[in-house]
Amino acid sequence: MKKNNNNALHIYDSVQKQKLPFESIIPRKASIYICGPTVYDDAHLGHARSSLSFDLLARTLKALRYEVTVAKNFTDIDDKIIKKVQETGQSLEEITNHYITSYKKEMNALGVIDADIEPKATQSLEAMESLINNLIEKDIAYVVSSGDVYFDTSKDANYGSISHQVADDEENQSRVEHNAEKRNPKDFALWKACGSEQEICFETSFSKGRPGWHLECSAMIEKHFEGTDEYSIDIHAGGADLLFPHHENEAAQSRCATGHELSKYWIHNGFVNINGEKMSKSLGNSFFIKDALKVYDGEILRNYLISIHYRNDFNFNEEDLLNSKKRLDKLYRLKKRVTPTKASKPNIKFQQAIMRAMSDDLNISVALATIEEMISTSNDKLDENPKDKGLKKETLANIEFLDALLGLGGKEPFSYFQIGIDEKTKNTIEALIEARNSAKIEKDYEKSDAIRDEISAMGIEIMDTAEGTVWEKV
RNA sequence: GGAGCCAUCGCCAAGUUGGUAAGGCCGUAGAUUGCAAAUCUGCUAUUCACCAGUUCGAGUCUGGUUGGCUCCUCCA
């Protein structure tokens, strides 16, 4: 028998560890908060992966006609940023603005749609201060002699419910930050008072200092989302490494401050390894997006980075990247065949199949297989009937649908294959192709093959199609 | 030490409530083409790390073994 006509979105919740039907806290609206970067350095592949994962989520929700609000924060106050300020002599704003700008630019190059709200920690200090005061009044937070403010984890009966990590043994306690004044070993800092030498700190009713990392997100969520009596937002997203302690602590603060849970769903993306090794600066294999973009077009990187399910670990290597590029090439070759024309409506069955796949916790593999099928079928039909206008219009509409949902196939197809070739070279190639075609008409195959060799020596591949001779950069 | 994840064709990778292994790359045979490329068609895992169990039936459930990995400390 048929399975349920269950096209409704299901997402995997890291807290309950299972796929759950997505039911937004406010009908037809979806609120997503993504833990964004700490802006002390350039964005690396891991940032891209996270960004891309939740970009797909947002696009899928939009395609399902949800009114989506995405917030992604920038942590612009933090020890590492302060260190950079001291090292470079630049101001905090100079440094953070620089990295925020380049982060956004690079993510846009990867086709990531900007978040609707992009709060900065330094712009949310009032919300943080009132959150802390709220907790101090309830005696859930406490100030120690240095001025630091800690969260009393023993006051939250549900502490541990997010990550299921209950670290009680002594082995663990020894690894946690030491402070004799802490009530419990697990207590974490909500606010760090500034040392005597430190210049970057903010005045509050409890002490002069700066916010703890976990606090920022809680405060920003409360500030920017209305929520309901049960939850502040629908989905809280971030990297798998943030589940503990970051999200655990966020959830605890918010729960105690507001009396309800922070987020209905929690989702986490997997990590990026480079050639089988964990990507890290100490291993020297860290990979900045800006460097990758010098070699590969953003869409090619996007196509590769989204091709593996967001919860799996991603093993980045050039061979796989080139393989995945072949899939994109096929999509664009098809687009070439139907250009120019005006798109009509996408094929309903195709559209539904893709939406069904993406609704199943963003099953990109099934979506890609569906695309392959569409490409193959369309090419087949085009072979049979190269001038079928209705088919061309529908095919183009299919591709435009993919562009909106997955961010793939949006370029003008001829330029896609000519990325990085300058006008002068283009003219040379066109002239050579013309010369070759003349030779072919005269059946001077020796000459035409010689010209083809000359063209391929330039790194260009040519194809004689029903629609004429076309060329691609290899 | 504690918490958890993963292991499917040469490579990448799907596989919700168990029912008899998607798709891509590569390879190969053919159609088409002056040739090549592109495009299309066919073929390519009796089998899912290993062992045992539950079941009429298991890649999918249970127990164990082996081998990778992550978190518990800043981290997407």
Side-chain angles (χ1 to χ4, degrees):
Chain A
M1 284 303 285
K2 265 190 219 164
K3 294 176 179 174
N4 312 341
N5 50 340
N6 209 347
N7 299 5
L9 178 64
H10 282 63
I11 59 175
Y12 184 88
D13 178 60
S14 319
V15 171
Q16 294 190 41
K17 298 185 182 183
Q18 56 178 310
K19 280 185 201 171
L20 299 173
F22 178 73
E23 286 160 7
S24 56
I25 57 176
I26 300 170
R28 303 322 302 163
K29 292 191 176 186
S31 48
I32 307 174
Y33 181 89
I34 303 168
C35 281
T38 300
V39 283
Y40 69 100
D41 206 346
D42 284 304
H44 57 239
L45 276 180
H47 292 112
R49 166 106 138 118
S50 177
S51 212
L52 251 10
S53 298
F54 307 128
D55 181 60
L56 280 185
L57 209 217
R59 285 171 182 259
T60 300
L61 281 162
K62 282 176 193 164
L64 292 167
R65 306 285 176 77
Y66 280 92
E67 190 185 312
V68 182
T69 306
V70 177
K72 176 150 71 178
N73 73 296
F74 289 108
T75 298
D76 62 345
I77 176 72
D78 156 279
D79 284 347
K80 286 188 288 271
I81 299 172
I82 293 169
K83 193 174 163 217
K84 204 133 191 167
V85 168
Q86 290 161 348
E87 283 170 3
T88 62
Q90 288 180 300
S91 74
L92 184 91
E93 289 73 23
E94 280 174 319
I95 290 170
T96 58
N97 284 338
H98 170 263
Y99 288 120
I100 288 172
T101 306
S102 52
Y103 175 89
K104 290 186 61 166
K105 196 176 124 200
E106 287 153 19
M107 292 310 152
N108 287 340
L110 295 175
V112 174
I113 298 169
D114 280 336
D116 304 290
I117 307 168
E118 298 180 329
K120 292 189 206 172
T122 54
Q123 291 170 342
S124 313
L125 289 157
E126 280 177 28
M128 296 183 205
E129 185 177 355
S130 74
L131 183 63
I132 292 176
N133 277 134
N134 173 326
L135 293 170
I136 290 175
E137 278 162 28
K138 293 175 181 164
D139 192 36
I140 293 167
Y142 55 98
V143 189
V144 300
S145 58
S146 63
D148 289 354
V149 184
Y150 283 96
F151 180 90
D152 185 344
T153 50
S154 69
K155 296 281 170 68
D156 178 17
N158 289 323
Y159 189 74
S161 62
I162 299 295
S163 64
H164 310 294
Q165 301 227 20
V166 273
D168 271 332
D169 56 281
E170 291 188 14
E171 181 80 18
N172 265 291
Q173 294 177 8
S174 68
R175 297 184 68 168
V176 179
E177 170 189 5
H178 272 88
N179 185 324
E181 290 183 87
K182 275 163 72 169
R183 292 179 185 170
N184 312 288
K186 284 185 287 183
D187 292 359
F188 55 90
L190 295 168
W191 187 262
K192 294 178 181 171
C194 49
S196 48
E197 303 297 316
Q198 255 177 344
E199 299 143 30
I200 302 160
C201 46
F202 308 93
E203 198 73 59
T204 64
S205 55
F206 31 88
S207 71
K208 217 172 158 186
R210 58 178 189 77
W213 177 42
H214 313 307
L215 180 73
E216 300 172 10
C217 297
S218 286
M220 290 188 261
I221 288 172
E222 292 313 317
K223 180 176 171 182
H224 293 286
F225 290 100
E226 279 188 46
T228 65
D229 293 341
E230 277 187 287
Y231 300 101
S232 298
I233 52 172
D234 287 301
I235 301 172
H236 193 122
D241 51 336
L242 299 182
L243 185 55
F244 188 86
H246 185 52
H247 290 162
E248 187 71 63
N249 292 350
E250 263 185 60
Q253 296 155 4
S254 294
R255 182 158 49 229
C256 292
T258 66
H260 62 247
E261 287 296 320
L262 180 59
S263 180
K264 187 167 181 185
Y265 304 94
W266 295 80
I267 66 176
H268 294 89
N269 66 275
F271 268 49
V272 178
N273 300 324
I274 309 279
N275 296 320
E277 278 189 315
K278 180 179 170 164
M279 181 178 72
S280 77
K281 284 186 182 167
S282 54
L283 284 170
N285 60 1
S286 202
F287 214 125
F288 289 130
I289 301 303
K290 63 173 184 183
D291 295 325
L293 284 170
K294 285 175 193 161
V295 188
Y296 299 104
D297 177 72
E299 188 180 359
I300 290 167
L301 284 169
R302 176 189 179 88
N303 178 249
Y304 176 45
L305 290 169
I306 68 172
S307 69
I308 285 166
H309 187 83
Y310 75 92
R311 276 191 282 119
N312 289 164
D313 277 343
F314 190 104
N315 188 15
F316 186 96
N317 68 78
E318 207 141 353
E319 193 188 331
D320 290 349
L321 188 156
L322 261 18
N323 279 347
S324 80
K325 178 179 177 297
K326 289 179 183 175
R327 292 185 123 165
L328 229 208
D329 289 349
K330 284 203 284 189
L331 181 65
Y332 271 110
R333 279 194 201 108
L334 175 63
K335 192 173 185 183
K336 263 203 296 205
R337 295 187 75 176
V338 299
T339 300
T341 192
K342 218 178 143 207
S344 55
K345 289 249 165 69
N347 182 284
I348 297 277
K349 282 191 176 164
F350 169 67
Q351 196 174 14
Q352 286 175 341
I354 297 276
M355 288 313 299
R356 209 179 306 126
M358 293 305 284
S359 296
D360 180 17
D361 195 36
L362 311 182
N363 192 330
I364 191 73
S365 293
V366 169
L368 292 177
T370 307
I371 294 172
E372 292 293 338
E373 204 182 298
M374 184 279 285
I375 293 175
S376 177
T377 310
S378 304
N379 272 322
D380 198 13
K381 287 188 192 162
L382 247 16
D383 280 353
E384 277 175 30
N385 195 351
K387 288 184 180 163
D388 187 337
K389 284 204 175 140
L391 176 63
K392 285 189 175 189
K393 286 176 191 291
E394 182 184 273
T395 304
L396 188 64
N398 287 345
I399 297 172
E400 287 184 358
F401 164 69
L402 292 178
D403 179 37
L405 182 65
L406 303 178
L408 301 176
K411 285 192 175 66
E412 196 284 311
F414 291 91
S415 65
Y416 168 83
F417 289 107
Q418 302 170 1
I419 293 166
I421 308 267
D422 59 63
E423 276 307 311
K424 204 182 150 199
T425 315
K426 276 184 198 175
N427 292 335
T428 311
I429 294 165
E430 299 290 349
L432 285 169
I433 287 175
E434 217 170 296
R436 173 172 169 274
N437 285 341
S438 308
K440 273 177 64 178
I441 289 166
E442 290 159 24
K443 296 202 192 289
D444 186 351
Y445 295 124
E446 210 170 299
K447 187 177 175 190
S448 71
D449 288 352
I451 296 172
R452 184 168 62 202
D453 289 344
E454 192 181 338
I455 294 172
S456 57
M458 297 166 74
I460 303 297
E461 192 167 59
I462 58 176
M463 297 145 203
D464 296 323
T465 71
E467 290 88 9
T469 303
V470 294
W471 60 275
E472 297 179 3
K473 187 186 169 195
V474 178

